[in-house]
Amino acid sequence: MTATEPSRPVEITCTACEAYGLSLCGLTKALSPSSANHIQIQQTSRTVPARRIICREQDLHDAVPIICSGWAASVVMLSDASRQILSFLLPGDLVSTALLFEPRSHCLVEAITDVVYRTFKRSDLKATLFTHPEIFDKLSKAWIEEKDRADQLIVDLGRRTADERIARLMLNLAERLSQRGMTRTTETSAIEMEFPLRQHHIADATGLTPVHVSKVLSEFRRGGLIKISDRSLIILDPAGFRRVAHMR
Amino acid sequence: MTATEPSRPVEITCTACEAYGLSLCGLTKALSPSSANHIQIQQTSRTVPARRIICREQDLHDAVPIICSGWAASVVMLSDASRQILSFLLPGDLVSTALLFEPRSHCLVEAITDVVYRTFKRSDLKATLFTHPEIFDKLSKAWIEEKDRADQLIVDLGRRTADERIARLMLNLAERLSQRGMTRTTETSAIEMEFPLRQHHIADATGLTPVHVSKVLSEFRRGGLIKISDRSLIILDPAGFRRVAHMR
DNA sequence: CGCTCACTTGAACCTGATCAAATAAGGTGG
DNA sequence: CCACCTTATTTGATCAGGTTCAAGTGAGCG
């Protein structure tokens, strides 16, 4: 909530995330071929420092936020101060497709790293849905993906061990980052990426305690599966790590 | 998969679930006032006996099924034969709003009781979305509800005890049934309903084992919170039961 | 009558939580 | 750059909520 450009009409194209060609920001791709086709839509860009809250449960949002850069998380707070992370938001992600239809969110979104995001006005975005089938398709795809991930998480939390949950979380993030071109593969076929999560984020996302996360990660390290240092993650043995993640 | 009426054009009105005024079937309500407005849409009705599978993961569905009567469950099967139930489907529920956009489902749907359901052709239903804003609204509402429930389940599985999970499941079902007029409140303000779930269903939905579910239910019974017999459930002490469900 | 499936109950076990203390990393003001 | 403070991570010891295993009781059904 630091810098706030004055709201002004711009192309829906969001150069910051265009490269990812994904999710809502990817809709820019759907439109750009025929340049005459660009939509004028009210849009605001904001920058939020790490750890700050992007929006709260109570906020009535007229705005639909999209992450342009940085990592964020949607989290539900319980009354005893325990937390459950519903999903991590990466560049190009719509915070929640439900916001397209309802100005209410039952969880809060917080920045993990410094985050740049843009908001579209719901009514504008909703209107373009009807006039631009490509956007409609992009958004329904985003919606399906969001739900698929939620369902996967339900299965993970309901039926998998701590090791599996943590490995799967990391592999899922690696996959999503790689779709965005945000991973590198070394000559030893290890996968390398920026990884700003603290262990408590991993704990909040997997339904575990930070203490146990620490133990499991040490175990993974000892097994030569991963290497974490300096806010970056290397999956040294992707095949072995996937084996851990599946198991059963 | 027993009785299959030949596919024929009928009004979208689905009398079986119209009474509930909910979910997709509720869209019938949105339309019926102006009778000139009725949609002709291909529709098929089927009856499935208890325990049978309504549709599998692999099936490429051209069809969008809606439960007309009975209870069903969407379940994910793990390779070790353990199961996670993602959601229970009650009369008036769309099996999955994602089916509106994608002919694929990553879980299977199985009948708990005898189930009557109808299927609409995806393309037809999708088309009416654009021409009938009331239907669009109904469906986006269904989508949001579906996602809210999934998110709630994530929190339950990630952060709550066995007692809380089970109590919340029952209270949620009671709430949904009551919206459909499928509960009775006695003079002692106990809440009574049909409850066809086996303990293993409860276990599959809450990420617990049937053995533990049995123990928790016995505890609830001993505490005078609920009474289960003969496929029906009475919440004897709703206030007390809600207290158990919240706890923290 | 004999089966199968659902539920119950108890004992032993185990995964992950809790508690506690020590170490390492940042971040801030001087 | 240092001193200080706060936040992360590690590690070990103990605890507990649920699982697993096992055996027994019903209830519905062909």
Side-chain angles (χ1 to χ4, degrees):
Chain A
M1 322 241 177
T2 47
T4 302
E5 294 174 21
S7 186
R8 62 195 161 78
V10 292
E11 283 175 352
I12 201 174
T13 307
C14 163
T15 46
C17 2
E18 188 172 15
Y20 311 124
L22 278 182
S23 200
L24 185 63
C25 282
L27 58 75
T28 202
K29 281 268 181 65
L31 293 174
S32 32
S34 50
S35 62
N37 226 353
H38 271 161
I39 308 171
Q40 293 282 112
I41 192 170
Q42 204 77 357
Q43 183 191 254
T44 312
S45 165
R46 286 205 174 76
T47 305
V48 177
R51 290 138 169 293
R52 210 65 63 76
I53 286 166
I54 294 178
C55 63
R56 321 187 159 275
E57 304 91 320
Q58 316 84 3
D59 298 357
L60 275 256
H61 300 286
D62 211 32
V64 182
I66 292 165
I67 308 297
C68 295
S69 76
W71 293 38
S74 341
V75 8
V76 175
M77 308 278 299
L78 285 283
S79 47
D80 69 342
S82 71
R83 301 155 39 100
Q84 178 65 46
I85 290 181
L86 299 177
S87 72
F88 291 107
L89 304 172
L90 302 181
D93 283 344
L94 198 52
V95 159
S96 156
T97 51
L99 284 176
L100 264 169
F101 306 113
E102 211 186 34
R104 178 191 57 82
S105 106
H106 53 302
C107 62
L108 53 80
V109 178
E110 65 179 50
I112 293 172
T113 62
D114 291 353
V115 164
V116 178
Y117 70 97
R118 300 189 172 226
T119 58
F120 296 98
K121 219 173 132 214
R122 179 181 18 270
S123 48
D124 290 352
L125 206 46
K126 206 170 160 186
T128 62
L129 230 54
F130 290 98
T131 53
H132 294 71
E134 326 83 62
I135 292 194
F136 184 91
D137 287 349
K138 282 274 175 191
L139 286 170
S140 35
K141 210 156 279 165
W143 152 347
I144 286 174
E145 241 189 75
E146 187 178 314
K147 182 56 162 44
D148 276 356
R149 288 218 305 271
D151 286 350
Q152 263 311 311
L153 184 53
I154 288 171
V155 176
D156 288 352
L157 295 178
R159 294 291 164 203
R160 296 196 218 261
T161 64
D163 292 15
E164 292 171 316
R165 293 185 207 178
I166 294 176
R168 294 172 77 85
L169 171 61
M170 291 180 145
L171 286 167
N172 284 337
L173 285 169
E175 177 60 26
R176 290 170 63 197
L177 288 170
S178 122
Q179 286 165 7
R180 271 152 248 244
M182 294 170 77
T183 59
R184 298 162 290 292
T185 305
T186 70
E187 61 289 348
T188 65
S189 82
I191 306 168
E192 224 179 308
M193 68 208 86
E194 299 293 303
F195 197 77
L197 299 189
R198 307 272 155 180
Q199 295 187 359
H200 77 80
H201 290 121
I202 300 180
D204 290 344
T206 53
L208 302 166
T209 56
V211 176
H212 196 64
V213 169
S214 167
K215 287 171 183 171
V216 172
L217 290 183
S218 301
E219 193 51 55
F220 286 165
R221 255 179 259 130
R222 219 167 300 131
L225 296 170
I226 61 171
K227 184 161 178 300
I228 301 182
S229 56
D230 214 27
R231 305 301 125 204
S232 88
L233 165 67
I234 306 177
I235 300 179
L236 295 169
D237 176 6
F241 204 42
R242 268 182 216 108
R243 231 170 295 127
V244 171
H246 279 177
M247 214 170 244
R248 68 168 57 187
Chain B
M1 323 243 178
T2 49
T4 301
E5 294 173 22
S7 187
R8 62 194 160 79
V10 291
E11 283 175 352
I12 199 173
T13 307
C14 164
T15 46
C17 3
E18 189 171 16
Y20 310 124
L22 277 182
S23 198
L24 185 65
C25 282
L27 58 76
T28 200
K29 281 269 180 66
L31 294 173
S32 33
S34 51
S35 61
N37 226 352
H38 271 163
I39 309 171
Q40 292 284 110
I41 190 169
Q42 203 77 355
Q43 183 193 253
T44 313
S45 166
R46 287 205 171 76
T47 306
V48 176
R51 292 139 168 290
R52 209 65 63 79
I53 285 167
I54 294 176
C55 63
R56 318 185 163 276
E57 303 92 319
Q58 317 84 359
D59 298 356
L60 275 254
H61 300 286
D62 211 32
V64 182
I66 293 166
I67 308 297
C68 295
S69 75
W71 292 38
S74 340
V75 8
V76 175
M77 308 277 299
L78 286 281
S79 47
D80 69 342
S82 71
R83 301 156 37 98
Q84 177 65 47
I85 291 181
L86 298 176
S87 71
F88 292 108
L89 304 172
L90 303 181
D93 284 343
L94 197 53
V95 160
S96 155
T97 51
L99 283 176
L100 265 168
F101 305 110
E102 211 187 34
R104 178 191 57 82
S105 106
H106 53 303
C107 63
L108 53 80
V109 178
E110 67 178 50
I112 293 172
T113 63
D114 293 351
V115 163
V116 178
Y117 70 97
R118 298 189 173 223
T119 58
F120 297 98
K121 217 173 134 216
R122 181 183 11 273
S123 49
D124 290 353
L125 206 46
K126 206 170 160 185
T128 61
L129 229 54
F130 290 99
T131 52
H132 295 72
E134 327 83 62
I135 291 193
F136 184 90
D137 287 348
K138 282 275 177 192
L139 285 171
S140 35
K141 212 157 275 164
W143 154 244
I144 288 175
E145 243 189 72
E146 188 178 314
K147 183 56 164 43
D148 275 356
R149 287 218 306 273
D151 286 349
Q152 263 311 312
L153 185 52
I154 288 170
V155 176
D156 288 353
L157 295 178
R159 295 292 165 201
R160 295 194 219 263
T161 64
D163 292 16
E164 292 172 315
R165 293 185 207 179
I166 295 175
R168 294 172 76 87
L169 171 62
M170 291 180 145
L171 286 167
N172 284 337
L173 285 169
E175 177 60 25
R176 290 170 64 196
L177 289 168
S178 122
Q179 286 165 5
R180 271 151 246 246
M182 293 171 78
T183 59
R184 298 160 290 291
T185 305
T186 69
E187 59 290 344
T188 64
S189 82
I191 305 167
E192 226 179 307
M193 68 208 84
E194 300 292 304
F195 197 78
L197 300 189
R198 307 272 156 180
Q199 294 187 358
H200 75 81
H201 290 119
I202 300 180
D204 290 343
T206 53
L208 302 166
T209 55
V211 176
H212 196 63
V213 169
S214 168
K215 286 170 183 173
V216 172
L217 291 181
S218 301
E219 193 52 52
F220 286 165
R221 255 179 255 128
R222 222 166 299 131
L225 294 170
I226 61 170
K227 186 162 179 294
I228 301 182
S229 56
D230 216 26
R231 305 300 123 205
S232 86
L233 165 67
I234 307 178
I235 301 178
L236 296 169
D237 176 6
F241 204 41
R242 267 180 218 111
R243 229 170 297 128
V244 171
H246 278 180
M247 213 169 245
R248 71 168 54 185

